[in-house]
């Protein structure tokens, strides 16, 4: 187990370095730099060169990348160009927000998808099954921005859960919108149908028939055997779902001005603040890798057939 | 002749499909057969002829819409501990250790100290020719034939008088198939069990059975002793079945 985790970490490290290199090159290819758009048009060429020199932009990108990379290994992630703050501190503040939202919507989504999947699978062909299937497909086909606006309408306008006075506090709306848009991502064919299929197939498995033929109580057959075995695939996906939730927040956070790393990332790219953008990308890639590893570990725990060593 | 252990008379099995509350598939239509201790009855027929449905009705897995099942002189109830069923695979929960698999019927029906239970499991495994070292194993660590043996050991745990077997050797390779058929024949004799053996494999059926019921389309179209069926089939369908089964009469 230890060896596997170390091996995976090594692979991830290489991947992360490649990703960061790619990001560095891409930000190099974009027109302009962190100074573009922040300087007055009347500035002299002399002064501009001086400023660029101060920020190190006169050095070739390879050299800048090398010093950025060596800084990372020393735990120094650089200083944000636009916020003039250490990147780690800047991102750290926002990361908590994203993590909280991600974890919360993950729990809601998982609970809903799994319950719906179980109900649909248990009563396959019945009306609850049809409702779940068509509902999840419908949800999937709605764009997440529309769902977000719908969330504002429902929670902010109709239910009035938000501060009165007509002021739209986007900081509060963000979470709701984000969760709504995540529902689209998770309560769908992907997870719901997976669970549904597993439960439905599980009910017809020979070992289930065999338990029933021995007069084992139906509730016990369902909870201890059908359900337990059909949740393994869903559980094994949880790590990567969690990672995907944390990673794919840029759009929603931006639309609803939620102070998380997704919005910070978009802002940083727009401002050519590549130390920040690069660090967020690294963090997201790291989360994705960690999520996948987590899935493998969970899978290994739940299903003895999968041996990692 | 002494009375049969199992007497099935005129049972019909039908299934509903989807949302409808009407029966749309009639799988078994008024089928009757009997089974005696120490003897094996073969339910033979092509795929979809209703063999499994008839057997499942006896086991209590489906409720027949008509007919009567008398077991050991009494109409069957909800629980049927005197019967045991085996399936195409070992029918084993993939996450249970073999020891727990075999002990499960014991745990459900009577409490016994762990030491006695262990001894009982070892004895059952021995009966089916599995070493006691297999107790700690998980299903995926066993071959198909070994899984079937474990399934048989579990079926024997409560010392049933009736063994219901649904295609128990169909999924096995020829070697394993022969061994399992041998084992079944030996156990049926040793415990004087009655056995209903469902298969479309004529070779296996001839090896194990004393009498056949030939099923077609949910009905029994011909019945009789094995020798008679093989040598003087009356029905065109039976002749066809024998020819397609490529088993020479003997
Ligand atoms: N649970 C079910 N729901 C609906 N129809 C069913 C169900 N089980 C069986 N049937 C139908 O009943 C008929 C008889 O099926 P059954 O499984 O009894 O046949 P079989 O002789 O055992 O076939 P096989 O050799 O393929 O196992 C088939 O037409 C089948 O499609
Ligand atoms: Mg069948």
């Amino acid at each position: 187990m230890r060896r596997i985790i170390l091996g995976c970490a090594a692979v991830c490290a290489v991947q992360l370095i490649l990703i960061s290199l790619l990001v560095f090159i891409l930000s190099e290819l974009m027109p302009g730099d962190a100074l573009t758009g922040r300087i007055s048009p009347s500035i002299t060429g002399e002064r501009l060169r001086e400023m660029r020199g101060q920020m190190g932009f006169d050095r070739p990108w390879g050299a800048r990348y090398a010093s950025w990379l060596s800084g990372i290994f020393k735990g120094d992630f650089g200083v944000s160009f636009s916020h003039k703050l250490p990147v780690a501190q800047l991102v750290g503040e926002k990361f908590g927000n994203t993590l909280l939202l991600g974890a919360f919507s993950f729990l809601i989504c998982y609970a809903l998808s799994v319950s719906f999947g179980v109900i649909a699978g248990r009563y396959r062909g019945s009306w609850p099954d049809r409702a779940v299937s068509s509902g999840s497909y419908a949800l999937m086909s709605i764009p997440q921005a529309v769902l977000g606006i719908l969330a504002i309408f429902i929670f902010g306008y109709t239910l009035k859960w938000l501060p009165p006075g007509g002021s739209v506090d986007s900081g509060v709306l963000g979470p709701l919108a984000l969760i709504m848009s995540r529902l689209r991502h998770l309560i769908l064919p992907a997870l719901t149908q997976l669970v549904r299929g597993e439960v439905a197939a599980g009910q017809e498995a020979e070992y289930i028939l065999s338990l029933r033929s021995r007069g084992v109580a139906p509730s016990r057959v369902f909870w201890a055997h059908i359900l337990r075995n059909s949740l393994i695939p869903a559980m094994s996906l949880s790590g990567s779902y969690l990672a995907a939730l944390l990673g794919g927040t840029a759009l929603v956070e931006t639309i609803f001005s939620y102070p998380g790393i997704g919005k910070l990332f978009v802002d940083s790219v727009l401002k050519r603040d590549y130390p920040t953008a690069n660090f967020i990308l690294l963090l997201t890639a790291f989360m994705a890798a960690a999520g996948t590893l987590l899935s493998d570990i969970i899978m290994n725990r739940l299903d003895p057939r999968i041996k990692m060593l | 002749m002494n009375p049969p252990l199992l007497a099935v008379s005129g049972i019909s099995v039908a299934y509903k499909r989807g949302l409808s509350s009407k029966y749309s598939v009639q799988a078994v239509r008024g089928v009757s057969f009997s089974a005696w201790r120490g003897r094996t009855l073969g339910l033979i027929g092509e795929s979809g002829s209703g063999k499994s449905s008839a057997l499942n009705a006896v086991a209590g897995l489906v409720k027949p819409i008509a007919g009567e099942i008398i077991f050991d002189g009494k109409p069957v109830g909800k629980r049927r501990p005197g019967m045991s069923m085996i399936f195409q695979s070992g029918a084993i929960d993939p996450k249970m250790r073999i020891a727990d698999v075999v002990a499960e019927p014991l745990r459900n029906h009577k409490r016994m100290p762990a030491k006695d239970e262990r001894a009982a499991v070892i004895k059952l495994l021995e009966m089916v020719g599995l070493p006691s070292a297999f107790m700690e194993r998980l299903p995926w660590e066993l071959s198909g034939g070994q899984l079937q043996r474990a399934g048989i050991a579990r079926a024997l745990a409560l010392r049933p008088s009736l063994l219901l077997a649904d295609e128990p050797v169909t999924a096995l390779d020829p070697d394993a198939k022969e061994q399992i058929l041998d084992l079944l024949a030996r156990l049926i004799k040793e415990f004087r069990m009655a056995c209903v053996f469902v298969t479309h494999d004529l070779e296996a059926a001839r090896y194990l059975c004393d009498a056949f019921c030939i099923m077609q389309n949910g009905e029994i179209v011909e019945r009789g002793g094995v020798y008679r069926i093989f040598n003087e089939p009356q029905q065109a369908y039976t002749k066809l079945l024998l020819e397609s089964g490529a088993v020479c009469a003997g």
Side-chain angles (χ1 to χ4, degrees):
Chain A
M1 195 68 164
R2 197 141 34 344
R3 226 175 57 214
I4 297 292
I5 295 176
L6 286 179
C8 179
V11 173
C12 291
V14 174
Q15 280 177 345
L16 292 182
I17 289 177
L18 288 178
I19 290 173
S20 71
L21 187 61
L22 193 67
V23 173
F24 223 88
I25 294 175
L26 284 176
S27 54
E28 204 55 36
L29 290 176
M30 284 198 286
D33 58 32
L35 288 177
T36 320
R38 286 211 289 140
I39 43 173
S40 86
S42 60
I43 195 165
T44 63
E46 182 65 24
R47 174 83 187 110
L48 186 59
R49 256 192 302 286
E50 198 182 303
M51 283 172 74
R52 295 173 70 95
Q54 272 171 8
M55 298 189 79
F57 290 167
D58 53 346
R59 294 190 295 153
W61 72 265
R64 277 183 283 132
Y65 178 69
S67 58
W68 178 78
L69 194 63
S70 68
I72 295 239
F73 283 109
K74 286 180 230 137
D76 170 15
F77 298 100
V79 174
S80 158
F81 291 159
S82 51
H83 293 79
K84 307 278 185 277
L85 274 175
V87 165
Q89 185 194 333
L90 180 66
V91 175
E93 284 167 9
K94 317 273 181 180
F95 185 58
N97 292 338
T98 298
L99 198 64
L100 191 69
L101 260 190
F104 192 58
S105 37
F106 170 82
L107 284 182
I108 293 184
C109 290
Y110 240 75
L112 287 176
S113 306
V114 168
S115 323
F116 285 150
V118 167
I119 292 168
R122 179 108 165 81
Y123 306 102
R124 194 174 42 165
S126 63
W127 68 261
D129 179 22
R130 294 189 185 188
V132 165
S133 293
S134 38
S136 67
Y137 281 110
L139 207 56
M140 185 179 64
S141 51
I142 303 175
Q144 57 182 14
V146 174
L147 269 180
I149 292 164
L150 206 63
I152 295 181
F153 181 75
I154 296 173
F155 298 114
Y157 186 76
T158 313
L159 292 178
K160 304 220 190 310
W161 284 3
L162 303 170
S167 70
V168 173
D169 183 349
S170 54
V172 183
L173 272 173
L176 293 172
L178 188 80
I179 291 169
M180 279 283 272
S181 63
R182 293 293 115 178
L183 290 185
R184 170 186 173 273
H185 229 289
L186 280 182
I187 306 184
L188 7 165
L191 192 56
T192 310
Q193 296 295 321
L194 175 78
V195 174
R196 172 187 182 270
E198 289 290 326
V199 170
Q203 291 183 109
E204 276 159 24
E206 279 195 341
Y207 76 89
I208 294 302
L209 283 183
S210 141
L211 284 161
R212 287 178 43 212
S213 79
R214 269 171 271 127
V216 178
S219 61
R220 186 174 160 72
V221 171
F222 184 74
W223 293 103
H225 297 275
I226 298 178
L227 199 61
R228 222 185 117 176
N229 283 323
S230 25
L231 288 188
I232 291 176
M235 288 305 131
S236 73
L237 280 179
S238 56
S240 23
Y241 265 127
L242 189 56
L245 270 174
L246 293 175
T249 54
L251 180 61
V252 187
E253 287 189 359
T254 305
I255 295 177
F256 299 100
S257 313
Y258 181 74
I261 57 169
K263 178 166 173 355
L264 182 60
F265 176 73
V266 173
D267 291 347
S268 314
V269 171
L270 291 178
K271 289 179 184 154
R272 310 288 190 276
D273 185 356
Y274 68 75
T276 309
N278 221 339
F279 180 67
I280 294 176
L281 265 181
L282 280 185
L283 189 64
T284 323
F286 173 77
M287 296 298 298
T292 312
L293 183 61
L294 186 68
S295 293
D296 288 348
I297 294 173
I298 293 175
M299 192 71 170
N300 193 54
R301 277 287 135 80
L302 288 177
D303 192 339
R305 276 170 295 187
I306 294 168
K307 278 209 167 161
M308 296 212 299
L309 288 180
Chain B
M1 213 189 301
N2 50 347
L5 178 71
L6 173 76
V8 173
S9 56
I11 57 160
S12 296
V13 175
Y15 299 103
K16 294 169 187 168
R17 193 170 283 152
L19 297 176
S20 100
S21 55
K22 287 197 303 264
Y23 294 112
S24 56
V25 185
Q26 177 132 27
V28 177
R29 308 153 195 270
V31 157
S32 306
F33 55 85
S34 301
W36 279 267
R37 274 182 170 267
R39 294 166 65 80
T40 300
L41 172 74
L43 284 187
I44 320 290
E46 61 185 357
S47 185
S49 55
K51 312 180 294 291
S52 297
S53 301
L55 197 70
N56 289 346
V58 175
L61 290 172
V62 291
K63 203 168 153 11
I65 55 171
E68 194 182 30
I69 300 168
I70 306 285
F71 177 65
D72 213 2
K74 296 178 285 288
V76 285
K78 239 186 155 53
R79 290 198 146 212
R80 305 174 188 185
M83 304 179 183
S84 270
M85 188 159 176
I86 59 176
F87 298 82
Q88 191 163 331
S89 66
I92 287 169
D93 186 322
K95 281 203 319 300
M96 282 172 83
R97 284 180 324 135
I98 298 304
D100 297 322
V101 168
V102 177
E104 181 229 282
L106 299 172
R107 287 176 194 163
N108 287 343
H109 285 263
K110 47 187 168 194
R111 295 217 164 271
M112 53 166 78
K115 213 175 75 209
D116 294 359
E117 182 192 284
R118 195 183 146 81
V121 169
I122 291 177
K123 185 136 186 289
L124 286 163
L125 288 177
E126 193 185 314
M127 260 183 230
V128 298
L130 288 179
S132 58
F134 276 42
M135 284 176 73
E136 297 309 315
R137 294 209 190 175
L138 286 157
W140 54 277
E141 296 170 309
L142 269 62
S143 74
Q146 290 166 339
L147 279 176
Q148 190 56 280
R149 285 173 193 269
I152 295 171
R154 177 181 57 192
L156 294 177
L158 298 177
R159 294 298 139 86
S161 49
L162 175 64
L163 184 66
L164 304 171
D166 193 347
E167 309 266 16
V169 294
T170 307
L172 301 177
D173 62 76
D175 271 356
K177 177 169 141 180
E178 208 177 299
Q179 290 174 16
I180 295 294
L181 284 173
D182 269 342
L183 175 68
L184 287 174
R186 185 164 61 73
L187 293 169
I188 289 165
K189 202 172 281 162
E190 188 177 333
F191 294 105
R192 275 195 71 241
M193 288 185 286
C195 175
V196 182
F197 182 74
V198 161
T199 191
H200 59 257
D201 179 341
L202 282 160
E203 203 188 331
R206 189 160 61 146
Y207 182 89
L208 203 61
C209 299
D210 304 291
F212 282 173
C213 290
I214 308 288
M215 283 191 75
Q216 180 188 17
N217 229 337
E219 290 172 41
I220 293 178
V221 292
E222 183 164 1
R223 65 177 82 220
V226 172
Y227 183 86
R228 218 268 297 139
I229 296 267
F230 267 96
N231 292 285
E232 302 150 20
Q234 307 288 310
Q235 299 289 323
Y237 178 72
T238 311
K239 284 176 197 156
L240 209 68
L241 208 63
L242 291 176
E243 277 159 26
S244 66
V247 179
C248 46

